[in-house]
Structures are given as structure tokens and as C-alpha cells.
Amino acid sequence: MDQSTFRLIENLSNAFGASGFEDDVTKVARDFMDQSAPDAVSHIEEDKIRNLYLYRKENTGDKPVLMLDAHSDETAFMIQSVRDNGTMEFVTLGGWVPTNIPSSKVWIRAEDGKLISGIFASKPPHFMRAEEKNKAPSIEEMVIDIGAVSRREVMETFHIGPGCPAVPAVTMEYNEANQVCLGKAFDDRIGCAVVLESLRRLQGEKLGVDIVGTLTSQEEVGERGCKAAVMKVKPDIAICIEGAPADDTFMPEYNIQNGLHRGPMLRYMDISMITHPRFIRYAFSIADELGIRTQKAVRRGGGTNGAMIHNAPGAPPAIVIACPVRYTHSHHTYTALDDFENTVALVCGILRRLDASVIEGF
């Protein structure tokens, strides 16, 4: 893997990007395109909801428009109030479960822009009643502690108050022995990396579609950024790249549909959409042609930006291609570089073959 691509994955994972506060993620993306793929896009735009639009330099305006999307936000938190003792109540941004939160460390973005370390406070067992020791606290019962002793100290010394966002305090690590990355926010920063790397690898090539890459905001709180982006891009067809939850550590072998080192996953359905059957069959045929191992998933839950796109005016066909990510919506997640590489290869393979006649057949 190109070193700049590895650094891209690392920088995206480490970036502060709570839903609604994706500025650092868009800066990482801009820097990568400027430094590593200066000829890939003609221009980059950003809207007021923090969506980033990357227009491929070879777009001509007379071909079908393909939206290549990934979301830039991460599941996170927001300070709701500061207690008199200096601890803080918070709300979640995205789908957290209580058991994934206690005793973890967070970075809080203060009102002056500084990052302040804090922890989700947990009551020592010495002070617990018997019934408390076997019961997980609800999110409403938890607080964040930065080591302050008063409300005044939190607000005046640290400049933290209601509305300040917080993200898991995790710095990416890489295990070269199995080429696996351990970091936060691979849902969906690994997808953002796929979008950017695909545009880099396709630079200078003549294609049958005009491509607009989008890194969309606030997916974890209701696909809000994509709702705005799809109205701006007006795609004829779309590929959504996700960092989707892996199931290989808790499912029997016959029911594993998204495991590490098994290639990109294509999802037939979740609670938000039934994937366009002709388009997904086409994608699998390209994977077979290129010898790329893939996975097929049918989900009882979950949802992606694909739902927003396939319900847009004109009902553009959309598919979801995902890199497997273990332990999504928690502080620490795993993703494998071979899955990333195979996802990029599949995306580029599809984009090199799509044209107006193929799309018309969908």
C-alpha cells in the first residue's frame, strides 16, 4: 500500500468528527487530494452542513452522474449540562448502547477549540449497593469527568458547557503481522478513504460516467447530510461506501455475512432499503471477473445513506459496498487493509465499466 494512503486511513480515523462537527475530517480529505492526487478532481466544494463534494477532473457534463458517497461523521457525544460538582451530563450522537461506554476516555472540544481529555465516570465498587454491581447504568445515569471540582471550573477554566461535542479518545494502531488497524470511527472513515483513494487511482482515465465524490455529514443521526447532498448532485446512479459491522466473532460460520479478511460486503437489504437487484448483480459480476472475494449480507437492522439516495427524485439505482469493521459504534474498532484494498479494486472496476447503456439496462 502506498504510504500516503496508509496515512490517509490513519489521519481519518484519528480525526475529530462528531456528527455536525466534521470539519477536521474534511480537512484531512482536502489535504490528501491536494498532496497525493492533485490531478484527480477539478474542484472541491463544501456546503453549510459540512458535506464535501469532489468533482472529478475528467467530468464532461454529458454523461450519467454517479455519486460515490461515504459519511464523514462518527458516533459521539454532546455535553448537555454541567453539575455543581464539575461532572457533566451528556447525550449520545448516534447509536450507542450503555455497556460500550463506562470507564472509557473521550476528547471534548471546548468552546475555544481545545481538546480536553475526560472519562466516563464509573462508581467504584466500594460505594455500590449489591444490586448495583450486577446492573449496567443507563446512559442517563452516566457522567463525563475531566477532573474538575466545580461547575465554575469546567465552564470558566476549561470553557466547556452545553453543546460541546466529544468523541472517543483513541489513536489508531497498526498490527503489521495481520495487516489490521485498531482505531476509532472506521464506520465510516474507512469508507471515506475508499472514496478518496478510488478518485486518486482513477485520475486521468476516461470513463463512461461523471463522478462526484461526496463525504456527507450527520449520517449517524439520520442521514441528514446525504439528504442535502443528493439534491445538489442529482445522481443518475450511486455507490455508497460503508464501514459496516462485522459479525464474524459472534456468528456461526454458516451465518457470517461480514467478516475480516473476507473481502467487501454488498448488502441486499436492511431496514432502510432493498438494494437495486440488477445493479447489485452487476457489481457481483464485476467482482467475479476481477477475482475479488466478496460477501453477501441480508440484515434485520441497520441503515445507510443508500436509503436517502434510492428514494431521491428519479429513484437512482444505489448499492452499498462495505469494508468489514469489528465493533462499530464503540470506542475501538478493527478493520483490515486487504479488505480496504479489495473494496477499492471493486469500486474502481465498476466505475471503469459503467456507462449510459449499462445504466439504462438497470
Side-chain angles (χ1 to χ4, degrees):
M1 174 181 289
D2 186 282
Q3 190 65 20
S4 65
T5 305
F6 178 82
R7 293 301 171 204
L8 170 67
I9 295 171
E10 181 180 42
N11 291 338
L12 286 170
S13 176
N14 291 343
F16 187 106
S19 298
F21 300 87
E22 297 88 354
D23 305 72
D24 289 1
V25 184
T26 59
K27 183 180 186 306
V28 170
R30 284 179 177 273
D31 288 347
F32 175 77
M33 298 308 290
D34 287 344
Q35 297 165 16
S36 300
D39 297 320
V41 296
S42 59
H43 63 289
I44 299 175
E45 297 177 2
E46 192 170 341
D47 64 19
K48 300 302 182 184
I49 201 172
R50 299 279 75 85
N51 289 326
L52 196 70
Y53 303 87
L54 304 106
Y55 296 86
R56 191 167 179 270
K57 183 173 286 188
E58 288 76 22
N59 290 353
T60 60
D62 59 356
K63 294 176 289 192
V65 174
L66 182 138
M67 182 172 173
L68 182 61
D69 176 74
H71 69 87
S72 56
D73 63 324
E74 62 186 292
T75 52
F77 312 92
M78 181 180 285
I79 303 303
Q80 184 181 44
S81 59
V82 184
R83 293 180 175 179
D84 291 338
N85 65 6
T87 61
M88 290 162 280
E89 298 178 8
F90 63 92
V91 298
T92 56
L93 300 176
W96 289 89
V97 295
T99 51
N100 283 347
I101 298 177
S103 299
S104 298
K105 183 180 175 183
V106 290
W107 289 314
I108 305 167
R109 177 81 75 185
E111 292 170 353
D112 60 5
K114 294 180 180 177
L115 288 182
I116 308 298
S117 295
I119 60 168
F120 291 101
S122 57
K123 184 189 291 188
H126 313 68
F127 304 122
M128 287 184 176
R129 299 185 302 273
E131 61 270 20
E132 288 182 289
K133 293 182 180 181
N134 297 314
K135 178 180 176 292
S138 67
I139 291 174
E140 290 75 17
E141 294 173 311
M142 298 178 195
V143 293
I144 295 174
D145 189 342
I146 60 169
V149 297
S150 69
R151 186 171 189 270
R152 180 175 180 178
E153 183 181 3
V154 171
M155 301 189 75
E156 295 185 9
T157 301
F158 293 99
H159 305 289
I160 296 174
C164 288
V167 302
V170 177
T171 301
M172 196 193 93
E173 302 173 19
Y174 175 60
N175 190 331
E176 191 171 0
N178 60 356
Q179 296 189 326
V180 168
C181 300
L182 170 62
K184 72 173 180 67
F186 286 130
D187 173 14
D188 183 29
R189 302 291 165 67
I190 196 66
C192 294
V194 170
V195 169
L196 297 168
E197 178 65 9
S198 296
L199 290 171
R200 185 183 77 86
R201 294 189 188 183
L202 292 168
Q203 60 186 333
E205 296 187 24
K206 292 183 179 180
L207 302 178
V209 290
D210 284 348
I211 300 173
V212 181
T214 55
L215 303 188
T216 47
S217 66
Q218 299 191 40
E219 189 267 357
E220 298 292 0
V221 291
E223 295 88 26
R224 297 171 188 175
C226 191
K227 292 176 185 176
V230 74
M231 298 302 293
K232 178 179 176 66
V233 175
K234 297 180 174 62
D236 298 292
I237 193 166
I239 300 175
C240 290
I241 312 298
E242 265 289 356
D247 54 15
D248 55 332
T249 57
F250 56 86
M251 284 290 186
E253 180 63 33
Y254 79 90
N255 206 20
I256 293 173
Q257 298 188 337
N258 194 30
L260 256 59
H261 302 299
R262 300 178 185 227
M265 179 269 282
L266 283 78
R267 185 180 295 179
Y268 280 99
M269 70 164 287
D270 54 34
I271 60 171
S272 68
M273 69 179 287
I274 296 173
T275 303
H276 194 284
R278 296 183 184 87
F279 192 6
I280 196 170
R281 283 200 301 269
Y282 180 79
F284 279 123
S285 73
I286 300 304
D288 290 342
E289 177 186 337
L290 296 175
I292 298 171
R293 185 182 183 187
T294 56
Q295 305 181 77
K296 300 178 179 180
V298 176
R299 295 305 194 202
R300 300 178 187 272
T304 70
N305 281 343
M308 298 300 106
I309 298 171
H310 92 298
N311 277 324
I319 58 172
V320 177
I321 303 178
C323 289
V325 175
R326 282 184 182 169
Y327 315 120
T328 59
H329 292 211
S330 69
H331 277 61
H332 301 89
T333 60
Y334 285 110
T335 198
L337 293 187
D338 59 322
D339 291 327
F340 168 80
E341 288 285 357
N342 283 320
T343 302
V344 172
L346 177 56
V347 170
C348 289
I350 294 170
L351 296 178
R352 288 181 175 120
R353 290 160 176 79
L354 279 178
D355 58 27
S357 62
V358 173
I359 297 170
E360 185 66 26
F362 295 156

